[in-house]
Amino acid sequence: MRKWIVTALMAATLMPVAANAQSNAEVRRDRRELREEQRDLREAYRTGDRREIRDQREDVRDARQELREDIRDRNRAYGRDDWRGWRDRNPGYYARGNWNAPFRYTVFRPGIRIGNGYYGPRYIIADPWRYHLRRPAWGQQWVRHYNDVILVDTRRGVVIDVIRGFYR
């Protein structure tokens, strides 16, 4: 019985490692395939055959999409960019109660320009790493708007990303 338990524990600890190694191998394979498809596209441009160029562009597009999907899967396997899972495991960080600003709730979407009153100092999230939000680039800030979180380019006032229902 003891050997069976030890074997089961070893298998349980090695399975995620094997899955991560497999996903890394898939990403490497997809990068190699993308380079090959890009090389074929350059060759099609040299020959000048329009049908071949169109086919090679589609192949490159498909290879890029597959690479993106594998990178996304690998990141999920490693727990990167997983604020939802973090929120589910640590609900106390996100249970901040009802929070109301002195202005009405507005549904924002990426690309629109908002007034600086919406991303004033009292609404900025000073510690986005605590919530497992990605690090904002220079000139960007994560801002709380009721229960939503908005990534704003503070230089221009443009909404870059919106996470609805971030706080519970």
Side-chain angles (χ1 to χ4, degrees):
M1 181 71 170
R2 177 185 271 180
K3 287 184 180 182
W4 185 80
I5 293 173
V6 170
T7 305
L9 286 174
M10 287 176 50
T13 56
L14 293 178
M15 287 300 286
V17 172
N20 288 341
Q22 181 181 3
S23 65
N24 284 335
E26 288 175 0
V27 169
R28 283 192 301 272
R29 187 196 70 229
D30 287 343
R31 283 190 177 131
R32 186 174 51 249
E33 287 177 5
L34 177 60
R35 284 191 301 269
E36 290 170 3
E37 295 296 342
Q38 289 172 333
R39 192 172 25 248
D40 293 343
L41 178 61
R42 285 191 300 271
E43 184 61 32
Y45 275 124
R46 280 189 212 113
T47 62
D49 183 15
R50 288 186 179 192
R51 182 175 296 146
E52 183 68 23
I53 290 171
R54 184 176 56 241
D55 292 343
Q56 289 303 324
R57 280 183 181 166
E58 289 176 9
D59 291 345
V60 168
R61 191 178 312 119
D62 293 342
R64 281 186 183 139
Q65 181 64 29
E66 191 164 333
L67 176 62
R68 269 190 236 110
E69 290 171 359
D70 282 346
I71 288 173
R72 190 177 307 126
D73 291 344
R74 183 191 64 185
N75 287 345
R76 283 191 189 122
Y78 282 122
R80 297 180 186 140
D81 299 329
D82 185 23
W83 65 266
R84 284 184 180 89
W86 174 256
R87 179 178 69 179
D88 293 342
R89 290 187 304 274
N90 301 289
Y93 287 146
Y94 298 89
R96 297 290 181 212
N98 286 340
W99 181 85
N100 297 319
F103 40 79
R104 289 180 30 189
Y105 176 78
T106 308
V107 177
F108 293 120
R109 62 183 186 280
I112 67 169
R113 188 178 299 268
I114 61 175
N116 60 0
Y118 288 103
Y119 55 92
R122 64 186 281 204
Y123 309 118
I124 290 176
I125 298 174
D127 51 354
W129 56 89
R130 180 179 183 200
Y131 301 105
H132 282 234
L133 292 168
R134 66 181 168 95
R135 182 176 170 215
W138 184 84
Q140 298 176 356
Q141 288 288 334
W142 285 104
V143 178
R144 181 168 184 177
H145 180 64
Y146 288 81
N147 286 343
D148 300 344
V149 175
I150 304 167
L151 182 62
V152 179
D153 182 350
T154 55
R155 296 168 293 165
R156 298 178 298 145
V158 175
V159 175
I160 298 168
D161 192 11
V162 178
I163 303 174
R164 300 193 201 303
F166 185 77
Y167 293 98
R168 295 182 178 222

